[in-house]
Amino acid sequence: LSMVLRMGTMQTTMIVVGHMGTEELAAVALGNMWVAMVGMTLVYGGFSGLDTLASQAYGAKNYAMVGLWTQRAVVIVCITCILLVPLWWFATTPCLILAGIPPENAVRAGEFAKVQICWMFPAFMNRCVQSFWRAQRIVKPYTNCSYISFLLHIPTTWYFCQWWGFEGAAWSLPVNQWL
């Protein structure tokens, strides 16, 4: 349920932006695609290893290793995020243009991806915490936090889009993730 709620925040942003216009919706969709393709697939692939190792350590009653694996994952995620920043900052627009996306849409998608750099760090750290809790069969706190975050994201996105337009939509995701 928590993953559905987390993905719902991105969908909410796309729904609100869809009311602004087709070019804005295309830019957000392309920006989300780039973020998912170049960032989330790499990092979430590594999290499957953390899920396995932390759960195995917990099952063996080696509780210190659960924390140790999580700490190592946090370090690896930080290094990965630092390596992804230049990729998201400099390569989004040129790669989308090379893929045949119209330049005006690629530029706006690049702007969206640049703002998502602020989203990347807390989102991936939250995933580390989720794996840590899940390995210990503690899922309710994270699900409750995801639910509250989702409910706060709806008015935040609407407010940001009303005041700052497309840029507000891009900033609603990082603001919500930091909450």
Side-chain angles (χ1 to χ4, degrees):
L1 182 61
S2 61
M3 290 301 283
V4 171
L5 292 169
R6 288 288 175 191
M7 295 308 289
T9 58
M10 286 192 176
Q11 299 307 317
T12 302
T13 302
M14 290 182 65
I15 290 168
V16 172
V17 169
H19 291 285
M20 291 181 186
T22 56
E23 290 193 16
E24 289 83 359
L25 178 60
V28 171
L30 288 168
N32 275 336
M33 179 200 67
W34 178 262
V35 166
M37 198 172 66
V38 177
M40 292 170 64
T41 54
L42 295 172
V43 177
Y44 277 30
F47 283 127
S48 63
L50 174 61
D51 289 337
T52 302
L53 293 170
S55 297
Q56 189 175 29
Y58 184 77
K61 297 187 183 350
N62 191 350
Y63 305 121
M65 282 303 292
V66 177
L68 188 61
W69 284 121
T70 304
Q71 290 172 354
R72 289 177 180 169
V74 166
V75 170
I76 291 169
V77 164
C78 286
I79 292 168
T80 305
C81 286
I82 290 167
L83 295 174
L84 286 175
V85 166
L87 194 60
W88 285 12
W89 191 270
F90 297 111
T92 304
T93 302
C95 286
L96 290 174
I97 290 172
L98 282 173
I101 305 299
E104 59 276 356
N105 288 348
V107 168
R108 297 208 70 187
E111 293 169 4
F112 185 85
K114 287 177 185 176
V115 173
Q116 297 316 302
I117 291 170
C118 299
W119 167 87
M120 175 177 28
F121 289 95
F124 295 161
M125 291 305 131
N126 280 341
R127 184 64 173 83
C128 286
V129 171
Q130 181 185 16
S131 294
F132 177 74
W133 283 351
R134 190 182 316 143
Q136 301 172 64
R137 299 181 185 163
I138 304 171
V139 294
K140 196 162 188 126
Y142 193 81
T143 303
N144 291 340
C145 290
S146 298
Y147 185 68
I148 292 167
S149 175
F150 178 73
L151 290 178
L152 290 174
H153 184 67
I154 296 168
T156 302
T157 303
W158 180 83
Y159 178 78
F160 277 37
C161 288
Q162 292 298 314
W163 284 93
W164 298 294
F166 176 77
E167 290 79 17
W171 279 103
S172 68
L173 285 165
V175 166
N176 180 267
Q177 193 64 47
W178 281 101
L179 294 176

